[in-house]
Amino acid sequence: MVMAWRRSLWLAAFALAFSAVAGAGHAGETERVQAEKTSPDRPLGVVELFTSQGCSSCPPADAFFAELATREDIVALSYHVDYWDYLGWKDTLSRKENTERQYDYMRAFGSRSVYTPQAVLNGRAHVNGANRGEVDGALAHMAKSGEGMRVSVKVSRTSDRVIIDAGDAGAGPNDAHVVIVYFEPPQTVKIAQGENSGRKMTYWNAVTGIQTAGMWHGKAQRYELPMSEITKKGGCAVLLQSVGKDGMPGPILGAAFIHKPSNGAQDL
């Protein structure tokens, strides 16, 4: 009876010690995986907001986007479109090319129309940009399901150039464009007319230009850009984005900021 009791006690102690070690290992593994998903080389995701100063539904989305733009684990880019300018206020940050990118996404998603505020997430899905729950939920789901940033993109600098190192693909699409996106520092705009007349809004990361800098074919590859082109245009990000045979934008596989301006908003 005593020996059986001692044996049970020893087994219980062994099980407790093993579970503690296993638990520590599991916790360490979980922390490592989470750190990899939100590292500067591999952020949680990319949020592209299509918005307009002339759209009465956009201010809540612009305010939420401002929060996303300050996060270190999100590459947030805002595309001001021009099709609401007829309502009485010409968006001071709108560009025809931004509207064209939204229409390209519309065709890629098989949609029949565009709208604002629209948030395109990782180039894979779109939701109402003012719906915090949908944006956060979709990004978290994509990260868990393998539709997040699965390719690392590392940015480094020398005195005269920016170096972009794209990692290996692993499984999945193995071809993508290296897309450079330029954007403005935060700017505060006083809207004098239109649906948002009287509002004073601060807009973050408003896109001013997009260009393709090269191709990536699934293997680790290095790209170089002149530093002078990066610093003179405000902010800059790089997207590793697959493109369909029809030229339409597809899933974004990796992303990083190349240059992120300070958070001080300028009045316009």
Side-chain angles (χ1 to χ4, degrees):
M1 186 76 169
V2 173
M3 290 184 64
W5 175 80
R6 286 179 177 174
R7 183 170 181 273
S8 298
L9 184 63
W10 181 83
L11 288 173
F14 177 79
L16 180 63
F18 178 80
S19 64
V21 172
H26 177 72
E29 179 68 13
T30 299
E31 291 174 359
R32 182 186 67 79
V33 171
Q34 289 177 344
E36 284 182 353
K37 287 181 179 179
T38 60
S39 70
D41 300 347
R42 193 175 296 181
L44 177 64
V46 176
V47 177
E48 297 177 274
L49 177 68
F50 293 90
T51 185
S52 173
Q53 295 170 9
C55 166
S56 61
S57 301
C58 287
D62 295 320
F64 174 42
F65 181 83
E67 297 177 29
L68 296 174
T70 61
R71 286 175 53 172
E72 295 299 323
D73 63 341
I74 298 288
V75 174
L77 301 166
S78 178
Y79 299 81
H80 285 246
V81 298
D82 60 6
Y83 49 79
W84 295 124
D85 290 354
Y86 77 93
L87 293 178
W89 176 257
K90 185 181 186 309
D91 190 315
T92 60
L93 299 170
S94 66
R95 299 178 70 255
K96 179 182 178 182
E97 291 79 4
N98 293 345
T99 303
E100 291 172 351
R101 182 166 176 83
Q102 188 181 26
Y103 271 91
D104 284 344
Y105 270 129
M106 179 196 75
R107 287 184 280 272
F109 294 142
S111 302
R112 302 182 66 179
S113 62
V114 296
Y115 64 94
T116 55
Q118 180 188 38
V120 175
L121 310 176
N122 298 348
R124 295 177 180 270
H126 64 95
V127 299
N128 186 322
N131 192 318
R132 183 186 301 263
E134 286 192 353
V135 172
D136 289 341
L139 288 173
H141 174 74
M142 289 179 183
K144 292 178 181 178
S145 64
E147 295 182 331
M149 302 295 100
R150 63 182 183 81
V151 179
S152 65
V153 179
K154 183 177 181 181
V155 176
S156 56
R157 299 170 178 81
T158 67
S159 60
D160 63 348
R161 71 195 66 184
V162 171
I163 301 166
I164 301 169
D165 286 300
D168 288 319
N174 291 334
D175 288 303
H177 289 188
V178 180
V179 180
I180 308 300
V181 184
Y182 299 98
F183 58 88
E184 296 279 7
Q187 298 186 34
T188 300
V189 178
K190 297 178 182 179
I191 302 174
Q193 300 178 43
E195 293 191 345
N196 291 317
S197 178
R199 284 182 177 267
K200 187 176 182 180
M201 299 289 300
T202 298
Y203 296 102
W204 289 70
N205 300 4
V207 171
T208 59
I210 308 172
Q211 68 180 59
T212 300
M215 289 288 297
W216 172 84
H217 299 291
K219 299 297 182 182
Q221 191 167 343
R222 171 168 289 188
Y223 309 86
E224 295 186 359
L225 300 172
M227 179 69 77
S228 58
E229 287 298 309
I230 300 302
T231 56
K232 74 181 183 182
K233 295 184 179 180
C236 186
V238 56
L239 309 178
L240 207 63
Q241 185 165 28
S242 59
V243 176
K245 294 180 179 179
D246 54 1
M248 296 300 101
I252 296 173
L253 311 178
F257 281 113
I258 297 175
H259 175 62
K260 197 173 181 181
S262 64
N263 294 343
Q266 303 173 357
D267 284 317
L268 290 182

